[in-house]
Amino acid sequence: MHTKFGLSICLGIIAGSMGLATSAQAFSFTTNFTEHLTENKAVKGNIWLNSVEFGGTTVSNFGLVNRVNILHNDRWTGGNTGAASADRGDLASGLVQELLTNPGAVTALGNTNLNNIIDGEDNGSFSMNVWFNQRVDNLFFWERGLNSKMNIQGIDKFGNSMGNLLTINSGNWNDAGFAIDTKEIGAAQRVGSLGVSLADLGLSSAIAGVRVSAQGALFNGPDWKVVGSASVPEPGTVFGLGAIASGLLVSSRRKKAQKA
């Protein structure tokens, strides 16, 4: 009991030092998906993310989680204890892991199966750094139950925090259009969705990853999934790469001409 209380205070102090916490100014998006099973079994099976739509834009090129560093996770001692674990649909492929490891978190998050999630317990506290396989400029979150909160902050490739500490409030979740029934629960629950932009995080350039955390009963155990939209290189960068490639080609031709 004293350990959890002290941890909550510690996390609060750390969060404050990383940046001023702000309320979410996040955006709504539409989730386009394919359910592997039909009728009442659909909620238990694989649910594949095809694309998302927002602001007249369709995104299907996603940055997927390929590395996780768990900074803190209340230990699981049986039953509904601990904080974050890997969970999947009753009939879905994927991982169930109560004593969550870094590779286990990657297995749960690093794919487009929306029925593979990180499950949070109601009173648990956790914090983890999550990196993507490419830099991203928007984040798309899903949360089973539409009843929890999360702290989110951008990080660089070394895990250093950047920009604002953003709190996504359960009252802001939008219905994603599907439900899931996972190993951790006994019946299907609706899934909510919410998008977070660079501006929401107080940043102006694409990020390598994000820190996700929850603090005990105050956050009510978020059960979540995240992907990012792959960042498009700046036009100047593309032009620069083209110029380099052109220069290498000219150089190669000159060398061949000299040998001839």
Side-chain angles (χ1 to χ4, degrees), residues 78-97:
N80 292 324
T81 61
S85 60
D87 195 13
R88 64 171 175 81
D90 291 339
L91 301 176
S93 57
L95 176 70
V96 174
Q97 187 181 64

Side-chain angles (χ1 to χ4, degrees), residues 198-221:
L198 291 173
D200 294 329
L201 296 173
L203 300 170
S204 59
S205 59
I207 57 175
V210 64
R211 181 172 300 150
V212 181
S213 61
Q215 299 179 36
L218 179 66
F219 282 56
N220 197 37

Side-chain angles (χ1 to χ4, degrees), residues 65 68 85-88 93-97 100-119 128 224-227:
V65 173
V68 172
S85 60
D87 195 13
R88 64 171 175 81
S93 57
L95 176 70
V96 174
Q97 187 181 64
L100 188 64
T101 63
N102 291 334
V106 172
T107 299
L109 296 173
N111 55 63
T112 56
N113 191 343
L114 296 172
N115 218 346
N116 284 186
I117 63 171
I118 295 294
D119 179 275
M128 63 180 73
W224 56 281
K225 180 90 172 186
V226 63
V227 303

Side-chain angles (χ1 to χ4, degrees), residues 35 37-45 90-91 179-181 187-188:
E35 294 174 325
L37 300 178
T38 59
E39 299 179 352
N40 63 334
K41 290 185 178 180
V43 296
K44 299 176 181 288
D90 291 339
L91 301 176
I180 59 177
D181 185 357

Side-chain angles (χ1 to χ4, degrees), residues 229-246:
S229 58
S231 175
V232 178
E234 294 293 331
T237 303
V238 175
F239 176 79
L241 291 173
I244 292 171
S246 177

Side-chain angles (χ1 to χ4, degrees), residues 3-209:
T3 301
K4 282 192 175 182
F5 182 71
L7 174 64
S8 297
I9 294 175
C10 180
L11 287 173
I13 293 172
I14 292 172
S17 68
M18 292 189 297
L20 181 63
T22 61
S23 297
Q25 301 296 319
F27 60 88
S28 301
F29 65 86
T30 299
T31 305
N32 298 317
F33 57 89
T34 299
E35 294 174 325
H36 179 247
L37 300 178
T38 59
E39 299 179 352
N40 63 334
K41 290 185 178 180
V43 296
K44 299 176 181 288
N46 297 323
I47 301 175
W48 299 107
L49 172 64
N50 298 323
S51 63
V52 301
E53 297 177 31
F54 67 100
T57 300
T58 300
V59 175
S60 57
N61 183 19
F62 296 113
L64 300 179
V65 173
N66 69 345
R67 183 161 62 103
V68 172
N69 181 23
I70 299 172
L71 304 174
H72 170 78
N73 194 20
D74 286 356
R75 187 171 179 79
W76 180 72
T77 56
N80 292 324
T81 61
S85 60
D87 195 13
R88 64 171 175 81
D90 291 339
L91 301 176
S93 57
L95 176 70
V96 174
Q97 187 181 64
E98 291 287 2
L99 289 172
L100 188 64
T101 63
N102 291 334
V106 172
T107 299
L109 296 173
N111 55 63
T112 56
N113 191 343
L114 296 172
N115 218 346
N116 284 186
I117 63 171
I118 295 294
D119 179 275
E121 299 300 343
D122 294 352
N123 296 312
S125 296
F126 71 84
S127 178
M128 63 180 73
N129 286 343
V130 172
W131 288 273
F132 302 96
N133 58 1
Q134 51 192 315
R135 295 176 68 82
V136 300
D137 50 20
N138 286 291
L139 301 170
F140 306 103
F141 282 90
W142 292 268
E143 203 273 330
R144 187 193 69 202
L146 296 87
N147 59 356
S148 302
K149 297 195 294 186
M150 290 187 288
N151 276 340
I152 301 166
Q153 188 164 26
I155 57 173
D156 64 19
K157 63 181 181 180
F158 303 108
N160 299 312
S161 58
M162 306 184 299
N164 300 329
L165 178 68
L166 183 72
T167 300
I168 295 181
N169 193 300
S170 57
N172 294 333
W173 292 108
N174 302 291
D175 193 311
F178 65 96
I180 59 177
D181 185 357
T182 68
K183 291 288 188 178
E184 287 277 342
I185 56 178
Q189 294 181 352
R190 300 299 298 176
V191 173
S193 63
L194 204 59
V196 176
S197 69
L198 291 173
D200 294 329
L201 296 173
L203 300 170
S204 59
S205 59
I207 57 175

